[in-house]
Amino acid sequence: MKKVCILLFSLIVISCKNKPDQKLKNDIKKEVVSSSEKALKIDTIGISGNDVKSNYIVASLLKNTVNKDSTETVQYNLDFYVNKEKITSESFTINDYVKDSEWIANYGFSPDDDSSVSPFIQLDFGFQASGFLQKQYLYFLNKKEIQLIHEWESSNDAGWGNWTEFLNVNPKKVTQSFYFRNISFMPKNDDDSNIGIASYSDSTKIYFENNHWKKQLLTPKDKIYRKKEITWDDFYPKQ
């Protein structure tokens, strides 16, 4: 009888050792379900100027709300990866969402920079076609910290439109002072597509202080400080 009891006890011990931890199993299942339920849509954004297989941004659409006026508001979470390692995350809300909008990302201050070592990342979100409004964001990514330096809106229809221009910038320099200004270039009238009116506003200095980027507005906010009539060829001189 004693031998039988010992044998039964041994079988119980072996059975317990082989049985997975039910609590851990349930926690894992819960984690997987909750994270998949959060994201309505997931996009992987390759960052230009670097190996898109190693450096990219994962954009997760968390919420899409239709407002009373039929406009849509979306909430996104962005995960930034460098060398396939998640560095940091950023969440924000976008109003006036346009269907089929897409993300575009590049290092530096414009797609022309194509700088693979820049700590600056510019994001563009919108329907990628002429005349549509684009929402743009300039981020500073340093080690495991990220800061949104500036956000703005732009539109461009065959060269006419509104946008933000960055000046005195070096995409490879980490702690620099630089400037931006808002530009509007619109046709003077519908009869002559070669003459336009260029307007400039919100000249702003960006500087690095106490490990943080700060802004200093140099001209009255939302006020045009310079306007001039200019030909298309002079505004867009041939290189």
Side-chain angles (χ1 to χ4, degrees):
M1 181 67 181
K2 185 176 181 181
K3 290 183 178 180
V4 172
C5 291
I6 293 174
L7 179 60
L8 288 173
F9 178 78
S10 300
L11 290 173
I12 293 172
V13 171
I14 293 172
S15 175
C16 290
K17 285 184 178 180
N18 292 335
K19 186 177 181 179
D21 189 331
Q22 191 65 35
K23 182 179 182 301
L24 179 61
K25 183 178 179 181
N26 290 339
D27 287 346
I28 293 174
K29 183 179 179 181
K30 181 180 179 181
E31 181 180 347
V32 171
V33 170
S34 61
S35 58
S36 64
E37 286 178 346
K38 279 185 178 180
L40 304 175
K41 180 183 178 183
I42 298 177
D43 295 312
T44 301
I45 314 164
I47 308 174
S48 66
N50 213 317
D51 182 2
V52 297
K53 295 181 180 178
S54 300
N55 301 275
Y56 51 89
I57 302 169
V58 176
S60 301
L61 175 61
L62 303 181
K63 192 175 182 180
N64 188 344
T65 303
V66 179
N67 306 313
K68 293 181 179 180
D69 57 357
S70 297
T71 61
E72 295 184 48
T73 299
V74 294
Q75 182 180 349
Y76 267 95
N77 181 76
L78 302 181
D79 295 322
F80 292 78
Y81 286 80
V82 177
N83 295 325
K84 298 181 180 180
E85 178 186 356
K86 181 178 174 181
I87 301 299
T88 187
S89 298
E90 179 84 348
S91 296
F92 53 86
T93 300
I94 299 175
N95 298 315
D96 301 324
Y97 167 76
V98 177
K99 186 180 179 181
D100 296 327
S101 291
E102 297 177 349
W103 289 98
I104 295 177
N106 63 268
Y107 282 105
F109 296 87
S110 75
D112 296 332
D113 287 339
D114 195 30
S115 176
S116 60
V117 294
S118 177
F120 300 96
I121 298 177
Q122 183 173 312
L123 285 174
D124 187 342
F125 182 76
F127 185 73
Q128 304 302 320
S130 295
F132 282 88
L133 189 69
Q134 305 294 315
K135 297 182 181 294
Q136 297 177 289
Y137 310 85
L138 180 66
Y139 281 99
F140 178 73
L141 181 61
N142 186 23
K143 296 181 180 179
K144 292 186 178 296
E145 296 182 356
I146 193 168
Q147 181 188 349
L148 176 61
I149 299 177
H150 184 56
E151 61 179 295
W152 67 101
E153 295 180 344
S154 65
S155 64
N156 193 311
D157 188 359
W160 306 107
N162 307 273
W163 60 88
T164 293
E165 178 185 39
F166 291 94
L167 305 166
N168 192 39
V169 293
N170 184 340
K172 297 182 181 181
K173 191 174 181 180
V174 177
T175 56
Q176 60 185 302
S177 293
F178 58 94
Y179 302 84
F180 72 80
R181 61 184 180 181
N182 295 334
I183 299 178
S184 170
F185 185 49
M186 304 300 293
K188 182 180 179 181
N189 54 61
D190 296 333
D191 299 328
D192 190 351
S193 61
N194 190 47
I195 304 294
I197 302 295
S199 304
Y200 301 85
S201 63
D202 295 310
S203 179
T204 305
K205 178 182 179 181
I206 305 290
Y207 61 99
F208 197 73
E209 183 178 274
N210 297 327
N211 295 319
H212 195 79
W213 290 100
K214 297 182 179 181
K215 297 180 184 179
Q216 180 184 355
L217 189 63
L218 303 178
T219 60
K221 185 174 178 58
D222 299 328
K223 300 292 184 181
I224 296 174
Y225 66 86
R226 186 162 65 122
K227 179 187 290 187
K228 63 180 180 179
E229 183 177 309
I230 186 173
T231 66
W232 175 278
D233 293 335
D234 288 337
F235 190 83
Y236 292 109
K238 296 180 179 179
Q239 301 297 329

